[in-house]
Amino acid sequence: MSEEIFKKVVSHAKEYGFVFPSSEIYDGLGAVYDYGQNGAELKNNLRQYWWKAMVQMHENIVGIDAAIFMHPKTWKASGHIDGFSDPMIDNKDSKKRYRADQLLEDKITRYEKDGKTNKAEELQAALDQALLDNDLVQLKMLIEQHEIACPISGTRNWTDVRQFNLMFSTEMGAMAEDADKIYLRPETAQGIFVNFLNVQKTGRMKIPFGIAQTGKAFRNEIIARQFIMRMREFEQMEMQFFIRPGTQKQWYEYWKEARLKWHKKLGLGDDNYRFHDHVKLAHYADAAVDIEFNFPFGFKEMEGIHSRTDFDLRNHQELSGKKMQYFDAELDENGKPYGNYIPYVIETSIGLDRLFLATLCASYKEEEVGEDDKKDTRVVLALPPVLAPYKVAIFPLTKKDGLPEVAREIMGDLKLDYNCFYEEKDAIGKRYRRQDALGTPFCITVDHESLENKTVTIRYRDTMKQERISISQIREILAAEINWKNLLV
Ligand code: ATP
């Protein structure tokens, strides 16, 4: 995958109704995007894949939907008010602001691309150390030593590195004098922690158990780039798995492997994934790893797996004065109950938008088709059928002779179970191509022969093969391919 392909994917996403810049008629809003008619479908399907795998397939994981607004003390307890910041640096000539660590990460990627592996490793180690020590002076020094220039002005005229809190705030309450500063959640995890007791008690959950949720999160990212990779409003899919203290290593390994397996099942290419262990640990973690995906612009984080200890529940207990404990009646090796404790937590946290981008990039294909003077390029999104925005497109060959009626009848039968697309206009070849570009795995064409013997042509997206089948066979063929089982089992 190259950067050239990335540009094509971005324009494809716009042209085919997957992703639009937010409020585009006003020239957009930095790092905020809207999902269009096809993007919303694909995003829903990806969310469902996660939800089914995490909640439906696990008896001991349940899902919730907590509010975006939370009591401001939540963010004190979680450490976000004091510690959720990134190191920023400004270029004095272009007046552009950057994340100091990302300028250095980009340099590392550059070194890797140029085959300067030693330099890349050396800089990575120095960067990790500077971040570990929270050493802003050292970050600036690394930027200077590696002669990093501003991509806009081309100069190396930098300010000092400073910390910048990423949380958005607003006021709650109608009266200004009553106004209370609240935050737009920067992660969905805290909605789970504050509901730990509610869910545990009402669901009679026994440790180990998990609580999952999907939803919007907001971060005032210093620099937003690479399309939907880094947004200021994005969606997370998170699961907190509550465990007995002392078992965190084992469960951390378990979730690392389970999550990687889930990714690979999507079929975006096994070699496109790798683990990246964190050297610099977030304020809440005792171990952390990223699952990185090979995006067209290099391997970048798609999901984080964090061993969060009892940091969050313990702090919420302290600040709220409510006991965040669990009574474990199981017996230990001495025959005594484990008793009361604050559970430890393993978190899996994936960005839905990054998953969407990875899926789009890996599925986008340009293929040479036709022969000699009729050579042509077709664009196809080779999405797993169950994720495709439309599962089947139904075309009457012409608009007359009763063909639309038969096509509508087939659609009427299928649409309860599958998202179907209906189209009468244009030559059939053109209609097929449009569906290829949306990722629709099957097209059904109704022609005059259909009226005589109740058969249709089914066309397969990936092979472009066409087959004559009887109308009564359609469901069977679709069911075999459009099946969650193919991803979940
Ligand atoms: P990064 O280092 O890329 O800023 P992070 O380590 O801060 O990410 P986490 O706090 O671990 O990210 O969040 C979990 C997941 O949420 C990430 O793996 C990513 O998929 C997603 N995510 C985080 N920030 C953004 C963002 N600004 N836009 C889109 N997705 C995001």
Side-chain angles (χ1 to χ4, degrees), residues 17 60 103 148 184 245 282 339 361 430 448 464:
N60 60 347
L103 285 176
I148 296 172
L184 272 69
C361 290
K430 234 181 179 176
H448 291 90
M464 294 191 290

Side-chain angles (χ1 to χ4, degrees), residues 31 80 84 86 99 101-102 166 186-187 217-219 221 223 227-238 278 284 290-291 300-306 347-355:
H80 283 83
F84 191 56
D86 277 338
R99 252 175 77 174
D101 57 330
Q102 267 171 12
L166 300 182
E187 61 175 26
F218 305 82
R219 296 183 187 178
E221 297 282 359
I223 175 155
F227 192 39
I228 55 173
M229 183 74 194
R230 187 168 298 285
M231 301 155 90
R232 297 202 166 98
E233 172 180 342
F234 58 100
E235 188 164 340
Q236 287 187 316
M237 307 194 287
E238 297 197 302
H278 282 213
Y284 51 75
D290 294 336
I291 295 178
K300 297 280 173 220
E301 171 177 349
M302 171 127 80
E303 168 154 7
I305 294 140
H306 310 124
E347 166 184 79
T348 71
S349 172
I350 175 170
L352 177 52
D353 311 273
R354 287 192 191 174
L355 176 65

Side-chain angles (χ1 to χ4, degrees), residues 130-142:
L131 291 173
L132 195 62
D133 300 340
N134 214 358
D135 189 342
L136 304 183
V137 176
Q138 177 66 4
L139 285 175
K140 169 98 185 266
M141 269 185 34
L142 289 173

Side-chain angles (χ1 to χ4, degrees), residues 8-26:
K8 288 186 176 169
V9 169
V10 174
S11 62
H12 189 85
K14 167 98 194 286
E15 192 183 337
Y16 284 92
F18 284 91
V19 182
F20 306 125
S22 156
S23 3
E24 197 184 5
I25 57 167
Y26 296 105

Side-chain angles (χ1 to χ4, degrees), residues 121-350:
E121 282 172 6
E122 204 179 288
L123 180 53
Q124 184 73 64
L127 171 61
D128 286 343
Q129 192 58 48
L131 291 173
L132 195 62
D133 300 340
N134 214 358
D135 189 342
L136 304 183
V137 176
Q138 177 66 4
L139 285 175
K140 169 98 185 266
M141 269 185 34
L142 289 173
I143 287 171
E144 282 170 348
Q145 274 168 9
H146 289 266
E147 300 184 346
I148 296 172
C150 166
I152 309 283
S153 67
T155 70
R156 291 193 260 131
N157 192 10
W158 296 110
T159 62
D160 285 339
V161 178
R162 281 164 293 158
Q163 291 289 10
F164 177 81
N165 194 297
L166 300 182
M167 278 200 295
F168 283 100
S169 62
T170 183
E171 287 104 39
M172 189 172 243
M175 313 270 260
E177 56 267 31
D178 293 334
D180 227 338
K181 189 170 175 184
I182 57 164
Y183 297 94
L184 272 69
R185 65 180 178 197
E187 61 175 26
T188 57
Q190 297 305 324
I192 294 179
F193 290 124
V194 298
N195 278 298
F196 163 71
L197 284 181
N198 284 338
V199 175
Q200 191 272 319
K201 294 216 161 103
T202 57
R204 302 198 299 153
M205 308 301 290
K206 282 209 171 65
I207 273 179
F209 74 90
I211 306 178
Q213 89 162 318
T214 71
K216 287 285 177 93
F218 305 82
R219 296 183 187 178
N220 198 2
E221 297 282 359
I222 296 170
I223 175 155
R225 42 178 205 172
Q226 285 153 341
F227 192 39
I228 55 173
M229 183 74 194
R230 187 168 298 285
M231 301 155 90
R232 297 202 166 98
E233 172 180 342
F234 58 100
E235 188 164 340
Q236 287 187 316
M237 307 194 287
E238 297 197 302
M239 192 275 301
Q240 312 296 324
F241 200 68
F242 299 93
I243 56 174
R244 194 177 288 155
T247 61
Q248 63 269 34
K249 276 211 171 67
Q250 155 204 340
W251 282 113
Y252 177 68
E253 290 306 322
Y254 171 87
W255 282 110
K256 246 177 97 169
E257 293 312 318
R259 295 302 303 147
L260 185 64
K261 198 166 154 208
W262 179 90
H263 281 282
K264 289 188 173 171
K265 274 270 183 182
L266 265 180
L268 307 183
D270 287 4
D271 295 342
N272 282 327
Y273 300 91
R274 72 179 187 195
F275 284 125
H276 172 78
D277 288 306
H278 282 213
V279 181
K280 186 205 175 202
L281 293 173
H283 55 273
Y284 51 75
D286 77 351
V289 65
D290 294 336
I291 295 178
E292 294 187 337
F293 183 77
N294 188 13
F295 288 96
F297 37 84
F299 274 95
K300 297 280 173 220
E301 171 177 349
M302 171 127 80
E303 168 154 7
I305 294 140
H306 310 124
S307 174
R308 288 182 84 123
T309 67
D310 60 357
F311 176 89
D312 302 88
L313 290 181
R314 185 173 289 283
N315 283 352
H316 284 307
Q317 173 168 295
E318 248 165 54
L319 234 74
S320 67
K322 308 274 170 5
K323 275 214 153 69
M324 291 295 199
Q325 297 194 354
Y326 172 82
F327 181 77
D328 192 335
E330 257 187 55
L331 305 181
D332 64 16
E333 63 269 25
N334 302 318
K336 286 202 184 121
Y338 282 95
N340 271 314
Y341 56 79
I342 300 177
Y344 268 45
V345 170
I346 304 296
E347 166 184 79
T348 71
S349 172
I350 175 170

